[in-house]
Amino acid sequence: MRAVTGLLCLAATVMVGCATTQPLAQVPASLTTMPMPSGAAVASEVHGVPVESCDATASLRPSELSGPAVQAIRQRGRLVVGIDQNTNLMSFRDPVSGELTGFDVDIAREVARDLLGDPGRVEFRLLTSPERITALQGGTVDIVVKAMTITCARAEKIAFSTVYFDAHQRLLVPTDSSIQGPADLAGKRVCSQVDTTSLATVARVAPAAILLAVQNWDDCLVALQQGQADAASTDDSILAGMAVQDPYLHLVGPSLENEPYGIGMNKSREDLVRAVNASLERMRRDGTWLSLYRKWLTVLGPPPAPPSPRYRD
């Protein structure tokens, strides 16, 4: 998911980091017949962001040589990973075991396998979307594996691995909905998460849509089920996780934006970036990536080839 940089400011007490706050539009009466998800608000003054004009997906060439960052992780004996627990299929709590599980969780464990020789040597720390970059910059986590889209603005603040998954922003709607694409969104309520550019992308492709901003993606699922939103829009990998939970929802329409996912790291830890890229290269080469896709993401269709790495050095 893409973070809004200076484009989306919501006047909600839970929001931080915007230079100025914009007033929220009055919530229509039709949205208040049932309690709204905590922190949800109709967004105003959301400007459609332009399509990315640079390519930040080129990373550092892989290397298994141990530098200071990798040595520190090995001395500690565990890899500290920033992650989410509310994104079904990618990273979520198993309802039976209570353990974190999903595609992103398994990717993180594979990185730990290569760095520490044991996929279980991971300490997961739950992060919200606004906390991802600050956690990396402050060194409270080693890597972030959280369905994070590589963008030009983010690449100025943190380092990224090569692309490990190609997602696409689409729409999720009830199966009996007349919405088939962005042309049908005028006057419709579209749900997405704050602090991502998903809202801003909808504002760009459907400026007459009403934007409902929530704190977690499962809040969009609730809003759809309660009739408080007509559609949800974000990455297809996330929307598919919602559709799996409710058979009366399905994905529609074309891709609104490409969303290349990368593993985030501190910019000063180049040896860690190279080591993570070596791990991702191993996963592509030995079939691990395809196995993880088949395990978690076949709802999106047959397994594609793993994203091809690009390097800048």
Side-chain angles (χ1 to χ4, degrees):
M1 296 175 295
R2 300 169 180 266
V4 174
T5 306
L7 296 174
L8 173 59
C9 295
L10 299 177
T13 57
V14 295
M15 293 293 294
V16 295
C18 293
T20 59
T21 57
Q22 299 294 331
L24 292 177
Q26 181 67 37
V27 178
S30 61
L31 297 184
T32 60
T33 55
M34 297 185 72
M36 292 282 284
S38 177
V42 174
S44 63
E45 300 299 324
V46 178
H47 304 289
V49 295
V51 176
E52 289 283 302
S53 59
C54 78
D55 185 2
T57 59
S59 186
L60 299 176
R61 289 193 176 277
S63 173
E64 297 180 358
L65 295 177
S66 177
V70 172
Q71 288 175 358
I73 292 169
R74 287 174 175 164
Q75 289 174 356
R76 185 199 304 140
R78 67 188 186 283
L79 179 68
V80 182
V81 179
I83 206 157
D84 179 35
Q85 66 173 352
N86 298 306
T87 307
N88 194 41
L89 301 183
M90 300 301 288
S91 53
F92 63 103
R93 292 281 180 189
D94 183 277
V96 176
S97 69
E99 296 294 321
L100 278 171
T101 189
F103 184 81
D104 277 349
V105 174
D106 283 351
I107 290 287
R109 293 192 186 280
E110 289 298 320
V111 173
R113 182 194 302 277
D114 291 326
L115 290 181
L116 297 165
D118 183 350
R121 290 192 174 187
V122 179
E123 177 185 335
F124 289 114
R125 294 189 182 176
L126 302 180
L127 299 176
T128 64
S129 291
E131 293 171 337
R132 293 178 294 189
I133 289 177
T134 54
L136 288 169
Q137 291 174 327
T140 57
V141 298
D142 298 315
I143 66 175
V144 167
V145 191
K146 192 178 180 297
M148 182 159 59
T149 301
I150 301 171
T151 69
C152 300
R154 284 177 177 168
E156 293 179 357
K157 300 176 181 179
I158 62 173
F160 280 104
S161 70
T162 53
V163 177
Y164 72 91
F165 186 76
D166 280 314
H168 303 275
Q169 183 172 345
R170 294 182 64 193
L171 298 171
L172 182 73
V173 300
T175 53
D176 60 356
S177 172
S178 61
I179 296 172
Q180 295 298 314
D184 303 319
L185 294 178
K188 302 296 185 181
R189 300 182 297 275
V190 183
C191 182
S192 200
Q193 190 179 25
V194 297
D195 229 53
T196 71
T197 58
S198 295
L199 284 173
T201 296
V202 175
R204 172 170 57 84
V205 301
I210 301 168
L211 305 180
L212 179 65
V214 298
Q215 297 301 307
N216 297 296
W217 288 118
D218 49 9
D219 292 334
C220 276
L221 177 60
V222 172
L224 282 169
Q225 292 171 332
Q226 295 184 166
Q228 296 164 327
D230 300 298
S233 184
T234 187
D235 309 348
D236 53 0
S237 57
I238 297 172
L239 296 178
M242 298 184 201
V244 167
Q245 297 174 76
D246 190 331
Y248 297 102
L249 300 173
H250 68 158
L251 278 72
V252 298
S255 171
L256 308 183
E257 189 69 89
N258 295 330
E259 307 287 347
Y261 290 174
I263 296 173
M265 287 159 280
N266 188 292
K267 286 180 76 73
S268 68
R269 300 176 178 178
E270 290 192 1
D271 63 313
L272 180 58
V273 177
R274 295 184 188 278
V276 168
N277 281 340
S279 184
L280 290 174
E281 183 58 33
R282 188 267 302 169
M283 291 182 228
R284 298 183 189 101
R285 186 177 59 250
D286 69 5
T288 297
W289 190 94
L290 286 173
S291 295
L292 296 182
Y293 185 98
R294 292 189 182 101
K295 179 180 179 181
W296 296 110
L297 300 175
T298 52
V299 66
L300 293 173
S308 298
R310 297 183 62 252
Y311 302 111
R312 64 173 184 267
D313 62 345

